Structure formats: C-alpha cells, structure tokens
Amino acid sequence: MEKDYIFYIEYGAKRMTVELIYSTGTGLFQEVLARPWLFLICILALTALLTGVTALLSREWLQLRHKKWMLSLHDLYEQAMDRTTDAVLILDGRGTILSWNRASEELLGYSKEEMLQQPSARLVPGDRRLIQNALDRCRQEMLLPLKARHKDGRSINLLLTLQPHNHFYTATLRFDEFKPVTVETTWHGDKDVLTGLPNRTAFLAYLEEQTAIKTFAFSVSFLSIDSFPRLAEALGRKPSERLLLDMTDRLQTVLPKGAFLARWSDCVFALILPDEDVALAGIWEQLRQKLKQPFSVNGLQLFAPLSIGTCFYPQDGKNAEMLLQHAYVAKRQAKQIKDTSVSYFDASMMSQIERMFQLEADLPMALSKQELELHYQPQVNLADRSIVSAEALLRWNHPELGLISPLEFIPIAEETETIVPIGWWVIEEALREFHQLKANDTPLQQIAVNVSLIQLERPDFAERLELLLHRYQVNAACLEIELTESIMQESSRLTGVLEKLQEIGVTIALDDFGTGYSSLSRLYSLPLDRLKIDKSFIDDIAVSPSALNVVHTVVYLAEQTGLDVVAEGVETIEQVHMLKELNCLIYQGYYFARPLAADALKGTLRNYQIPKDVPIGAGM
Ligand code: C2E
Ligand code: MG
Ligand code: MG
C-alpha cells in the first residue's frame, strides 16, 4: 500500500513543506519508518540542516542589504554635506577628521583626500592642542576662536562651533567676524608697491572671504581717476605717481576704520565697506569736498575727479565675480558725468552696458564705413538778424541701432581714445564744407567745431590744425573751437596750447557755460573769446528769476572781460525777447533752426532773407 507523508518544518516566520512520498513496497525508507527512533533522528538532522542553510542565507542577504543601504545613505550624507554652504567637519573623540565637506575645502584650500583621517590639529599649526583641549571639555555646544592656516599659507581668523554627540563631534567653521583690515595697520598680504595698499590679488581674496561669511552686508566700489591716463602721459611717471599718492591719502582720510581699500589697477581703487547707507552717502560727500581742492603736481594745480560705481552684497551679487562686474557697470555709468560722481548698480544698467560695449566695438570702424556725418546748426545775430556762424555737430548712423546721439557715443569715443581720429575727421570735414560754402559766397563768417580735451592736449594739436587750415584755405579767424567747461580744471596745463591757438588766430568758445567748474579767476586767466551759456539757463529764463539773473550776470561779466556770449538751446520767442533785452545778441536753437545736413544748410543760407524783426523759422 502506498502512502503520502507531509511534514511541516517551521523556521522563524518561514514555513517549509517537505512532502515525502513513499511506497510501502520499497527499501530504505520503509526501514526507517519501521524504526521510530531512527525516524526521529532523521527528522532532527533534516531540521538542523535546513535551519543552518536558511540562517546562513538570510545573514548574507541582510548583510548585503545593509551594505547597500549604508552606501546609499553615505552618498546622500556626502551630497548633503557638500551642498551645505557652511564648512562642517565631523571629528571623533580624539579629534580625527571623519568628514570634510566642500565648503571646508573652499574655506581652507585642502581637499577631502588631504584631510580625511588627519588630526584636526593640522588646522591650527600655531596651537596643536587647541582643538583637542576643547574636545576634552566639550559637554555642550561651545565656540572656539582660532587662527587657522589656509593651504596657501594665509592665516585666517575663524570661529569654530563644536557640538558634542554620542561618540563624535560636529564642528562648523566660519570667519570670526567682519574683520576689516585697515590699510595702514594690519594688512600683511599682497601689497601694491607704490601706494602700500593691498593690490588686486589681495582685494579679490578678501572679497571672496567676505562673500563666504554670508551674514554681513557690505558694499563694493570701484573709484576711478578717469583723467589719469592722460595726465600720466602729459606729466610723466614721477609726477603722476605723486598724484596717485595724494589721492590715496585723501581717500584714506575720509574712509572709516572698517574700510578695505585696495589699488585695483593703475588709476582704479577698489573698496569694501560695511553696509551702512547713510555712512556711505556721507563718505562720498566728504570725498567730493576733498576733490574740489586741486592737486599740486610739478607746480601745476590739477583736478582729478573720481567716477565711483557701487553695488551691494548680497542683493546685487552673491559672489565676488558678480559683485565686481556690477560695481564696474555702475562705475561706467558714473563716468558719463564729468565731475566726481557716484552711481549705484541697478539691473537696468546691464542692458545699457551691453549697448555701450556694442558701440565701443563698432565705433572704430564707423569712420572707415562712412557712418559718421556732420550736421550744422546756425547761429543768428539778433542785432542785424544775420546768420553768423554754424556749429558742426556729429551724427552716427549705426547700421543696426539707427541714429546714435553724440551724447551717447562721444564719451565712449573719449574713453577708447577713438575721439582723436574722429575729432580730426570732424575738423577736416567742417573746414572742407566751409571752404565750399565760402566758394559759393555765403554770408557765414565762421564755423564752430567741438573739440575734446583728449584731442586738444595731443602735443601736435596746434600744428596739425594749422596744416588743415592751410590745406582748405580757411582763414584761422573763421574757425571757432568749442571746449567744454572741464578744461577749466586743467587750465594750468592747457594754457600753452590755448595760447598757441590764439596765436594762430582761431577763436575759442567755452561750451555749456554755467554747468561746470568755472571760477572767475580761472576764466580771466584763459585766452577765451566767447562763452556759450548752457541751455539749462535759457530753458528757465522766461520763468525763473534766478535763471534770468545768471544769464544777466554772465552777459555783464562777458562785457567786462571783452568776451562774446552765445545763448544755446533757444526754443521760444519769449526767450528770444528776453535775450535781446539782456543784450545777449547771438543765439542758436530750435527756434531758429535745428542742426541741418550740409545740403539743407546750404539751402537755408541761400534762401535766407533777413527778416525785419527777430528771425523766425528760417531753417527747421
Ligand atoms: P553742444 O556742443 O552743447 O551742442 C549743442 C547741443 O544742443 C546739440 O546736441 C544740439 O542739437 C542741441 N540743441 C541745439 N539747440 C537746441 C534746442 O533748441 N533744443 C534742444 N533740446 N537741443 C538743442 P547734439 O547734436 O545732440 O550734441 C550734443 C553734444 O555732443 C554737443 O553739445 C557736444 O558736446 C557733443 N558733440 C557733438 N558733436 C561733437 C563733435 O564733433 N566732437 C565732440 N567732441 N563733441 C561733439
Ligand atoms: Mg558745442
Ligand atoms: Mg553746448
């Protein structure tokens, strides 16, 4: 007879089923079954065997799982540690470094490979027991100031926060505080040889440290002496170095203790200041006052205004690169104003600066591509209502951006010194045009050109001008050179060239008079022929008694000193009447004519009939 036996073997939660099939007529199994004690032994042996195998398998399995789990946990932990912006280390009870994250790497320059399993004493070579002593005492969170050594050799003041856990400690490192390094006292890093200030490398390192702290707001500024390259060329090395040293002194006298001032490049200083809005505005104001005094160099009295661009950490940039770029953009903006001026970065400046860079790149080719053109704005004499002169005004027809105002591209041309070839082109073109007009017997007595200071102070300016006058057979007295008031700041240096021009016989007008730096004494000392009263006074002449007073005074002053006056930007009949009353008899402005292309000017001159009364709408 055949019979099925089914056995259940239980191991832990697992139940195994062993089915034994035997047939009554067969050998060994029948024998075992016939002896119950043998049967029991077999069952026990089988159970032990299965238990052992199962235990072995599940231990291996658990170990594998555990290993995998630990690996992924470790990965996660590493990633998390590397992403934290704080420098965090884990130390065991003996101070051995068990974990070193990326922020620690950035802070102290050592990689994980270099620091893992190393004694934490390596961080503070000056006091190797410092951290160990702290660990021995550490029962709860404690702070430990220390002087750590960066891999590059710098020593850095850090604050270590120790946190005890069961068998290990976490240690967070951060800069001790906003530790301003004042130039004259504590700085021992890379120095600029001339001024003794920290140099560009030192400034960068310091800025990077400050952005790493993340808790303190501060400002980053560039302060540029824009006129310095020209001054240096004209004065020579020693005197220009003297000027830089004087400038450094003036800066240091207005800067507070927390300031970090560095020499960024030849004529640019870089500055970090703890962020206090009011204090910053006060500092700039003091600086402005200081720079109103001329620098005395080689017996010359020179002015050196600064263009200051400022941005703030963290709102304008979270890292050094961003902050430097934004401070630079703001500085470029400030540069457009000729006097010492401050510009604070704002996001809209980025598109302006991109345009500026495009213009800067395209400008050198504008001449050869014939994109430049001169327009001419007539000047009228109210005494006899004749057109007496015309001012040549530059226009740039940019192939993509359209017509660009000279107010926008002249400063760029000045910065890149493209203004010199452009300026010569303007003079030559104006003389060529004037020569033609004269050949056609026009009543125009003079042509005026605007000349940039950068071109004027080239040593060969007067000679080249004479050559051109000769080439186009234009009498020197028929050419007027318009200079902006900023020449007053450089008057002592420019007297020579101005006197030379006077000798040649060209006339000199001071443009935009009233907006800048003119002092009466300097006005008297320069060989000028004419003052052009700035449009801003003319705008208000009919509505503001003080504007009227200014114009009145300028006219009086001009009469006393034998200068002519011209009113700029006259737009209304009321203004014309007022000017006539004030005896300011020559004017230019939209009221009579806008700047005209050469052909339109010729047409206007040809058709102009002297009106009985004040001139009305001759050109447009
Ligand atoms: P500027 O020499 O003072 O020229 C007068 C400016 O006032 C011109 O602007 C002219 O178009 C404008 N204007 C004249 N009358 C009126 C008026 O009634 N109303 C108004 N709203 N504006 C009037 P523009 O042509 O844009 O030139 C601006 C400045 O660019 C010039 O001021 C001059 O400083 C500079 N510039 C122009 N051409 C040259 C050049 O060839 N060389 C140099 N270095 N600078 C130039
Ligand atoms: Mg002008
Ligand atoms: Mg002007």
Side-chain angles (χ1 to χ4, degrees):
M1 147 195 178
E2 286 193 355
K3 206 170 184 182
D4 289 353
Y5 288 86
I6 298 174
F7 299 92
Y8 296 103
I9 299 168
E10 292 212 2
Y11 174 76
K14 292 186 180 67
R15 184 157 123 157
M16 289 188 162
T17 310
V18 179
E19 194 175 321
L20 294 174
I21 305 165
Y22 88 103
S23 66
T24 43
T26 54
L28 182 65
F29 206 67
Q30 214 176 12
E31 266 182 47
V32 170
L33 279 179
R35 294 178 182 85
W37 58 270
L38 191 58
F39 176 70
L40 200 66
I41 288 177
C42 282
I43 293 296
L44 285 174
L46 199 62
T47 312
L49 184 73
L50 283 170
T51 311
V53 168
T54 318
L56 204 72
L57 283 176
S58 41
R59 211 182 73 204
E60 285 292 307
W61 180 77
L62 277 175
Q63 269 178 358
L64 211 72
R65 282 293 306 264
H66 183 67
K67 211 167 162 185
K68 254 183 151 174
W69 184 67
M70 285 302 281
L71 274 174
S72 61
L73 199 67
H74 184 257
D75 269 4
L76 263 176
Y77 160 82
E78 285 274 291
Q79 279 179 28
M81 287 288 270
D82 281 344
R83 278 187 195 163
T84 52
T85 46
D86 289 328
V88 184
L89 348 175
I90 294 180
L91 308 175
D92 69 8
R94 300 208 320 261
T96 309
I97 299 171
L98 304 178
S99 167
W100 180 263
N101 70 348
R102 193 162 294 153
S104 318
E105 215 170 297
E106 280 163 13
L107 182 67
L108 289 160
Y110 295 102
S111 67
K112 269 190 194 136
E113 291 70 33
E114 288 170 299
M115 290 313 272
L116 286 181
Q117 298 303 325
Q118 293 296 309
S120 48
R122 264 192 77 178
L123 298 175
V124 203
D127 188 350
R128 302 190 71 85
R129 289 287 311 159
L130 185 80
I131 296 183
Q132 191 54 57
N133 289 344
L135 291 177
D136 294 344
R137 281 179 289 123
C138 183
R139 302 285 168 266
Q140 57 188 27
E141 182 178 298
M142 69 182 277
L143 295 176
L144 182 69
L146 50 88
K147 212 177 228 349
R149 178 65 52 90
H150 189 279
K151 190 178 176 183
D152 67 12
R154 266 179 303 136
S155 100
I156 316 173
N157 291 317
L158 296 177
L159 198 61
L160 181 78
T161 311
L162 269 180
Q163 190 100 45
H165 304 276
N166 269 348
H167 303 293
F168 64 95
Y169 300 84
T170 45
T172 313
L173 287 165
R174 56 178 54 214
F175 285 97
D176 194 356
E177 55 184 290
F178 187 94
K179 262 228 157 65
V181 183
T182 41
V183 170
E184 63 282 18
T185 54
T186 50
W187 183 253
H188 299 300
D190 301 321
K191 276 186 184 170
D192 167 54
V193 181
L194 175 68
T195 57
L197 293 176
N199 65 10
R200 178 193 283 242
T201 319
F203 184 83
L204 265 174
Y206 186 69
L207 180 59
E208 272 160 11
E209 278 176 18
Q210 295 307 321
T211 51
I213 301 172
K214 294 189 174 65
T215 44
F216 300 94
F218 57 88
S219 63
V220 179
S221 306
F222 280 127
L223 301 90
S224 160
I225 317 172
D226 295 331
S227 54
F228 188 77
R230 290 186 291 110
L231 292 175
E233 203 175 295
L235 297 170
R237 190 169 62 85
K238 279 268 167 243
S240 49
E241 283 182 358
R242 184 69 260 144
L243 184 128
L244 265 177
L245 287 172
D246 284 358
M247 179 63 89
T248 309
D249 283 349
R250 288 192 198 188
L251 284 171
Q252 285 180 325
T253 53
V254 301
L255 292 178
K257 273 241 165 315
F260 186 94
L261 178 70
R263 186 166 175 214
W264 180 259
S265 64
D266 266 5
C267 57
V268 180
F269 296 89
L271 175 68
I272 294 176
L273 278 171
D275 180 16
E276 284 157 40
D277 267 355
V278 183
L280 198 60
I283 290 166
W284 300 147
E285 190 41 46
Q286 280 181 47
L287 194 56
R288 231 190 300 265
Q289 293 308 324
K290 280 243 174 287
L291 296 180
K292 279 190 176 157
Q293 301 304 317
F295 291 84
S296 181
V297 181
N298 265 15
L300 299 173
Q301 300 294 301
L302 301 174
F303 288 86
L306 289 172
S307 301
I308 304 169
T310 295
C311 69
F312 294 95
Y313 172 86
Q315 61 266 44
D316 294 333
K318 297 221 173 3
N319 57 38
E321 196 186 336
M322 219 36 155
L323 290 165
L324 292 171
Q325 188 192 9
H326 290 169
Y328 173 79
V329 166
K331 187 202 85 177
R332 286 288 301 249
Q333 196 77 9
K335 192 173 180 176
Q336 294 182 17
I337 301 160
K338 290 275 180 274
D339 198 1
T340 291
S341 62
V342 185
S343 173
Y344 294 99
F345 174 80
D346 83 72
S348 69
M349 285 178 187
M350 286 312 284
S351 56
Q352 290 170 32
I353 210 85
E354 276 161 22
R355 183 178 157 100
M356 200 190 278
F357 285 144
Q358 183 178 357
L359 297 184
E360 199 171 294
D362 296 345
L363 194 54
M365 304 304 291
L367 255 185
S368 58
K369 288 186 177 168
Q370 302 188 329
E371 292 165 8
L372 298 181
E373 196 185 335
L374 282 186
H375 283 196
Y376 300 88
Q377 187 174 35
Q379 291 177 4
V380 229
N381 186 344
L382 283 171
D384 59 8
R385 298 174 295 282
S386 62
I387 300 176
V388 285
S389 180
E391 178 181 5
L393 292 160
L394 196 51
R395 299 289 176 260
W396 181 10
N397 276 305
H398 191 284
E400 288 160 34
L401 303 172
L403 203 67
I404 317 273
S405 159
L407 293 172
E408 188 177 4
F409 72 83
I410 295 285
I412 297 174
E414 286 180 337
E415 172 142 329
T416 53
E417 306 225 342
T418 333
I419 192 66
V420 179
I422 289 179
W424 283 117
W425 179 84
V426 168
I427 295 176
E428 187 160 358
E429 184 63 15
L431 289 177
R432 196 182 56 75
E433 200 60 59
F434 188 76
H435 173 79
Q436 278 190 13
L437 288 171
K438 277 301 186 203
N440 292 332
D441 208 21
T442 64
L444 210 60
Q445 297 156 22
Q446 253 196 339
I447 192 101
V449 288
N450 295 280
V451 172
S452 158
L453 201 61
I454 294 168
Q455 185 184 4
L456 181 76
E457 62 186 3
R458 292 289 155 123
D460 61 347
F461 182 79
E463 286 76 29
R464 269 185 85 170
L465 188 69
E466 246 183 321
L467 279 177
L468 286 178
L469 286 165
H470 191 253
R471 183 181 304 163
Y472 292 97
Q473 296 155 32
V474 174
N475 186 332
C478 296
L479 178 67
E480 178 154 90
I481 285 183
E482 292 192 12
L483 302 170
T484 55
E485 260 192 302
S486 53
I487 62 148
M488 303 304 277
Q489 292 202 329
E490 323 266 346
S491 54
S492 51
R493 213 157 41 82
L494 293 174
T495 315
V497 61
L498 295 181
E499 281 170 352
K500 194 96 190 275
L501 292 177
Q502 202 178 38
E503 253 171 52
I504 294 171
V506 295
T507 61
I508 299 166
L510 199 56
D511 206 353
D512 306 337
F513 184 70
T515 54
Y517 317 91
S518 311
S519 79
L520 287 182
S521 59
R522 266 185 258 142
L523 206 57
Y524 289 131
S525 67
L526 283 176
L528 298 174
D529 300 279
R530 187 173 293 194
L531 302 178
K532 291 189 80 175
I533 306 173
D534 191 66
K535 177 177 183 304
S536 54
F537 299 107
I538 309 301
D539 282 346
D540 295 344
I541 191 177
V543 287
S544 148
S546 54
L548 185 70
N549 260 337
V550 170
V551 178
H552 188 83
T553 312
V554 173
V555 173
Y556 175 78
L557 174 83
E559 275 170 7
Q560 297 306 305
T561 48
L563 296 172
D564 289 339
V565 271
V566 178
E568 286 189 287
V570 177
E571 291 180 343
T572 66
I573 184 77
E574 289 80 24
Q575 291 166 347
V576 174
H577 285 310
M578 299 288 252
L579 289 169
K580 208 170 172 201
E581 295 234 324
L582 291 169
N583 208 26
C584 175
L585 295 179
I586 299 175
Y587 83 86
Q588 76 184 76
Y590 291 177
Y591 181 71
F592 181 72
R594 287 177 179 252
L596 305 163
D599 284 346
L601 175 76
K602 278 177 205 146
T604 302
L605 289 171
R606 213 173 22 245
N607 303 328
Y608 184 66
Q609 306 275 322
I610 292 188
K612 288 197 189 66
D613 205 344
V614 284
I616 296 172
M620 286 333 115

